[in-house]
Amino acid sequence: MRLFMDAGANVVIADYNEEAGMRLLNDLGPSAAERAFFVACNVADSASVQQLMEKTLKRFGAIEWTTGRGRAGLFVPCVRRRGLY
């Protein structure tokens, strides 16, 4: 996450485990408050993923890129999305 932020990216942390997600966000430090946020998300549930996308678009206006480390494997690279698809 820090590498992305150091390169100027806004970051959304999405995790089913709220405690782990918030811990990661807090580990990024107070300077991350403007460019990073956490959303609880179950990637196995399409409504939860849709809510993640809506919150991200509301906060940052676009989704330039996604990457995931979750086991569900639902995230794929996405370039310059300006709305839900």
Side-chain angles (χ1 to χ4, degrees), residues 24-70:
L24 178 57
L25 180 62
N26 291 333
D27 286 350
L28 293 174
S31 63
E34 294 293 317
R35 297 189 21 237
F37 75 107
F38 170 74
V39 177
C41 181
N42 176 357
V43 297
D45 175 44
S46 62
S48 184
V49 173
Q50 183 169 343
Q51 183 180 50
L52 165 64
M53 296 300 163
E54 289 171 353
K55 287 180 178 182
T56 300
L57 290 169
K58 183 176 182 179
R59 174 86 181 254
F60 296 129
I63 299 171
E64 302 281 336
W65 181 261
T66 64
T67 185
R69 293 181 21 167

Side-chain angles (χ1 to χ4, degrees), residues 1-14 24-25 27-28 32 35-37 67-69:
M1 297 293 165
R2 283 189 182 97
L3 291 175
F4 288 116
M5 292 184 70
D6 288 347
N10 293 320
V11 173
V12 179
I13 300 164
L24 178 57
L25 180 62
D27 286 350
L28 293 174
R35 297 189 21 237
F37 75 107
T67 185
R69 293 181 21 167

